[in-house]
Amino acid sequence: NEKKIKIGYLVVAKDLSNIKQYETSLKESEEKYRKIFEESSDCIFIADKAGTFLDINMAGTKLFKAYETPLINYNLLNLINKQTEKKQFLREIKKNKTIANFAIQFKCLDKTTIDCLVSASIIESNSKKTIGYRGIIKDISIQKETEKLVLKTIVNTQEAERKRFAKDIHDSLGQQLSAIKFYIGTSAAGTREKKKKNLLLKANA
């Protein structure tokens, strides 16, 4: 009261059940995302605005062959093998804020190269400033090798067919020419007219 003597208690009760449910739901979503993130067969990454990896899954570790060195703090852009592809990638993603199935050749930590398709988008702050990138990298090296093998097989098959066709024509033409030569020779032998005989003999020479 006015004399600072306690005369009772004022209690405010707040229902936290909705907050608890929200926190539980959020935790479940995070766990679900993390499971998808870790179990994906494709590389999933999050990078800062400079391109430095902030998070990358196990598939990314395998993709870049980073078995002994953690990829965190490695720069995605510095792993692009060709400068032209790097410039084009940055130009496209800055222009559209997202990019899908962009063909890029990366260099792995063991110095080998891999052909990939990158789908990524810009992460923005509330003030619409770029603060990073997130995306998926799909390894298409096997697909590329298969395409090269198929193309090589097609070319080899066409070449073999061309040679076979040429041989068939040669054999057929050879038989026809032999028959024509035999006919001319026979005709020359049976001709008494000198001028005609000389012409046939010249054609049969």
Side-chain angles (χ1 to χ4, degrees):
N1 60 15
E2 296 166 354
K3 295 178 180 180
K4 306 295 182 181
I5 298 172
K6 291 182 181 178
I7 58 173
Y9 298 93
L10 177 65
V11 178
V12 177
K14 189 173 182 180
D15 185 2
L16 298 177
S17 57
N18 287 338
I19 295 175
K20 288 289 185 182
Q21 287 176 1
Y22 173 74
E23 288 176 348
T24 302
S25 177
L26 184 62
K27 187 176 179 181
E28 288 174 354
S29 296
E30 287 176 351
E31 288 174 353
K32 186 177 180 181
Y33 166 74
R34 177 54 60 176
K35 188 174 181 182
I36 294 170
F37 181 84
E38 292 298 341
E39 294 180 358
S40 173
S41 58
D42 293 326
C43 168
I44 301 176
F45 70 89
I46 298 172
D48 64 17
K49 64 180 181 180
T52 304
F53 288 120
L54 299 175
D55 201 0
I56 188 165
N57 64 352
M58 185 57 67
T61 299
K62 292 178 181 178
L63 180 71
F64 291 106
K65 299 179 175 62
Y67 302 116
E68 297 179 3
T69 308
L71 274 171
I72 299 299
N73 298 327
Y74 265 85
N75 193 292
L76 169 70
L77 302 176
N78 291 341
L79 292 172
I80 297 176
N81 193 39
K82 300 176 182 176
Q83 286 299 311
T84 52
E85 290 180 356
K86 177 180 176 179
K87 290 177 181 177
Q88 190 179 353
F89 173 77
L90 286 171
R91 186 167 58 248
E92 289 292 325
I93 200 166
K94 285 177 181 177
K95 179 183 176 183
N96 302 312
K97 296 188 178 181
T98 184
I99 199 165
N101 294 327
F102 188 88
I104 291 181
Q105 188 179 75
F106 287 102
K107 51 188 175 185
C108 301
L109 270 60
D110 66 351
K111 308 301 180 184
T112 58
T113 58
I114 46 170
D115 293 301
C116 299
L117 292 178
V118 180
S119 297
S121 60
I122 285 176
I123 303 171
E124 293 183 334
S125 65
N126 293 332
S127 57
K128 300 298 180 181
K129 289 184 178 180
T130 299
I131 58 173
Y133 305 93
R134 60 178 162 236
I136 298 174
I137 303 173
K138 187 176 183 65
D139 182 3
I140 58 167
S141 298
I142 296 175
Q143 181 182 330
K144 282 271 188 180
E145 289 300 318
T146 303
E147 287 174 358
K148 287 179 184 177
L149 183 61
V150 169
L151 184 61
K152 185 178 179 181
T153 303
I154 291 171
V155 170
N156 290 342
T157 302
Q158 288 177 338
E159 182 64 19
E161 188 64 17
R162 187 188 66 77
K163 287 180 180 179
R164 186 193 66 78
F165 185 66
K167 186 177 183 300
D168 289 346
I169 290 176
H170 178 270
D171 294 345
S172 175
L173 190 62
Q175 291 175 1
Q176 290 176 5
L177 288 173
S178 296
I180 291 169
K181 189 172 183 180
F182 175 76
Y183 174 77
I184 292 172
T186 304
S187 298
T191 300
R192 294 182 180 182
E193 190 180 336
K194 191 173 182 181
K195 189 175 180 181
K196 187 176 180 181
K197 187 170 185 175
N198 287 337
L199 185 64
L200 287 171
L201 288 171
K202 188 176 180 180
N204 196 38

